[in-house]
Amino acid sequence: MTAKLSEVDLKAIVPTYAKEFEMIQVLDKEGNVVDEETLNEITDEELVSLMKDIVWGRTLDTRTIILNRQGALGNYATAGGQEASQFGSLAAITKDDFLVPTYRDLGVITRHGLPMYKTFLWYKGHVAGNQYDKDFQAYVPQVMVGGTLTPAAGVAIGKKFNHDTKSVVLALCGDGATSQGDFYEGINFAGVYHAPLITVIQNNGYGISVPSNKQTAAATFAQKGVAAGIPSLRVDGMDPVAMYATVKKAREYALAGNGPVLIEALTYRFGPHTMSDDPKRYRTDEELAEWLEKDPLKRLRNYLTQKGLWSPEQEAEVEEELKKEVKEAMARMAKEPAQKVSDFLKNMFEVTPPSLARQVKKYEAKEME
Ligand SMILES: Cc1ncc(C[n+]2csc(CCOP(=O)(O)OP(=O)(O)O)c2C)c(N)n1
């Protein structure tokens, strides 16, 4: 088939994808079931475990904000509100799957298995916070916006080349990250190689203070996957069950050798971008109030409480455990020897190149003085 240029209507060419990207939801904001079929595929144990993750994540966020204000930790990118897109996604993967998180996903990487004191060392800018056990399946949290996608695609392509049919890669990024070249390069190559990469774009509506409509003229972030030939979905990112079920489905699809899946999660951060940000300068109280009503924690709590699967006592237990974990992690962090310049120079390459080795020697001599 060929087309006649005179019949081409430029205005009609960019689809809105309104139908293709209808938002997937399982629980509505009150915690009522809107997709029974999907929910029936999930056991009560899985839902309770997901609830524990979310309460754990919310409590960690609250504690970390306090520690930052006390000056005990470095600057912090708050995560409250984004627990469904974070922990719903995490719950759908296993410890053998590879996680590529951003600076906002510190709770996620800790729940994936990074010792909490290492997470805290990362906040302090200590090199030991970047040194992981060889078996731990994750990269250090990426601060370069969009920078999760190229290494994530690399790991996924490696899995494909090595005929690994048992694990996938989960890469997280924000809506702002999708404006970066790295994002397109990463998803493009994952698409070309049919690599098992699941990308979750946590669309919280802002890149710091820049709203979505100033970042892209596209109607959705999900449609950015279409040009890379990647099945893409749009999910209620405040619905923990929808996130869990969608990432699980994407994982099965990728494990079957079909290639990547891209998911746009519609979410919101309740707090500031980081502790040095004042969101009141670019968001209204009404907007925040609207999103607070969609709170993923309240939503799953309502549903599980109705079913008799969750109680305030269970919630308090998770909170107490987390607080204990934080206390122990802070004590362990304090025992870490102060870092030396030579330590982080040595941490950059598996085999230190000669030019760097010379610098290491120079610093080591100074450090001995
Ligand atoms: C390459 C690069 N440019 C700019 C920054 C500064 N910066 C830090 S966070 C951020 C906004 C990112 O927004 P988004 O990807 O939506 O993620 P969110 O912070 O909302 O989770 C920017 C511009 C950076 N860290 N890296």
Side-chain angles (χ1 to χ4, degrees):
M1 275 246 299
T2 55
K4 284 206 174 73
L5 184 61
S6 57
E7 287 168 14
V8 170
D9 174 4
L10 284 175
K11 276 199 172 149
I13 277 182
V14 180
T16 60
Y17 291 108
K19 178 88 190 97
E20 289 84 347
F21 296 132
E22 270 173 8
M23 186 179 77
I24 294 163
Q25 192 180 59
V26 177
L27 297 180
D28 70 11
K29 64 181 173 149
E30 273 83 36
N32 302 312
V33 183
V34 294
D35 178 359
E36 195 93 41
E37 206 182 330
T38 301
L39 195 63
N40 286 341
E41 299 279 306
I42 306 171
T43 66
D44 290 349
E45 289 72 30
E46 287 173 286
L47 293 173
V48 169
S49 167
L50 181 55
M51 183 64 189
K52 285 183 179 166
D53 290 344
I54 288 175
V55 173
W56 183 94
R58 176 68 57 88
T59 318
L60 177 65
D61 186 65
T62 316
R63 295 301 298 167
T64 314
I65 289 172
I66 295 170
L67 288 168
N68 171 276
R69 290 202 173 120
Q70 291 171 342
L73 282 180
N75 201 3
Y76 174 59
T78 72
Q82 296 192 203
E83 292 87 355
S85 58
Q86 294 187 324
F87 295 99
S89 303
L90 183 73
I93 66 165
T94 73
K95 298 270 188 252
D96 292 330
D97 293 322
F98 200 93
L99 176 71
V100 190
T102 77
Y103 49 87
R104 202 172 299 290
D105 309 307
L106 273 295
V108 186
I109 194 168
T110 310
R111 204 65 168 163
H112 191 52
L114 183 67
M116 194 181 279
Y117 83 94
K118 291 247 174 202
T119 307
F120 288 163
L121 281 168
W122 184 88
Y123 279 122
K124 297 274 271 186
H126 195 296
V127 67
N130 291 339
Q131 290 165 337
Y132 294 176
D133 278 353
K134 272 221 150 41
D135 293 339
F136 181 51
Q137 298 298 303
Y139 277 145
V140 294
Q142 178 58 264
V143 177
M144 280 182 291
V145 170
T148 48
L149 272 306
T150 35
V155 179
I157 292 167
K159 286 187 185 293
K160 186 78 184 184
F161 285 175
N162 290 325
H163 308 288
D164 174 352
T165 53
K166 294 205 166 60
S167 65
V168 302
V169 179
L170 172 66
L172 302 172
C173 72
D175 42 280
T178 71
S179 303
Q180 292 284 91
D182 279 3
F183 170 83
Y184 295 102
E185 290 167 33
I187 63 166
N188 185 55
F189 268 95
V192 169
Y193 288 98
H194 301 285
L197 172 67
I198 301 165
T199 302
V200 174
I201 304 167
Q202 298 188 66
N203 174 9
N204 62 14
Y206 295 88
I208 312 184
S209 56
V210 181
S212 305
N213 64 359
K214 293 250 166 66
Q215 296 176 45
T216 181
T220 70
F221 287 94
Q223 74 202 60
K224 295 193 175 196
V226 173
I230 298 178
S232 304
L233 302 162
R234 206 167 197 228
V235 184
D236 182 347
M238 303 300 267
D239 176 354
V241 185
M243 282 305 303
Y244 175 58
T246 306
V247 176
K248 216 169 158 194
K249 185 172 176 144
R251 184 176 183 272
E252 279 155 20
Y253 176 89
L255 281 182
N258 296 305
V261 178
L262 184 136
I263 296 163
E264 175 187 354
L266 293 157
T267 183
Y268 201 78
R269 72 172 144 72
F270 294 156
H273 169 73
T274 64
M275 299 308 291
S276 54
D277 170 51
D278 175 11
K280 280 186 181 292
R281 295 179 64 177
Y282 55 86
R283 305 192 309 202
T284 62
D285 290 346
E286 292 74 33
E287 182 182 295
L288 174 62
E290 211 176 286
W291 281 92
L292 281 168
E293 278 184 24
K294 301 178 189 172
D295 188 343
L297 194 153
K298 286 190 198 149
R299 189 179 302 206
L300 192 55
R301 183 200 282 140
N302 283 352
Y303 172 74
L304 290 176
T305 307
Q306 275 169 32
K307 286 208 41 170
L309 291 168
W310 192 251
S311 66
E313 291 73 32
Q314 274 166 285
E315 197 158 322
E317 199 179 312
V318 178
E319 288 168 357
E320 284 317 306
E321 268 171 28
L322 180 277
K323 285 178 195 164
K324 210 172 129 227
E325 213 179 331
V326 168
K327 222 170 156 187
E328 286 167 6
M330 290 299 286
R332 172 65 188 82
M333 183 181 76
K335 286 195 193 135
E336 194 68 26
Q339 66 180 341
K340 301 192 288 282
V341 175
S342 58
D343 290 338
F344 56 78
L345 289 179
K346 281 190 277 193
N347 193 55
M348 289 166 77
F349 295 93
E350 191 165 358
V351 178
T352 307
S355 58
L356 207 57
R358 281 195 293 275
Q359 289 186 49
V360 170
K361 236 173 137 182
K362 202 177 95 191
Y363 279 104
E364 278 177 340
K366 270 195 180 170
E367 285 154 8
M368 297 282 278
E369 283 169 11

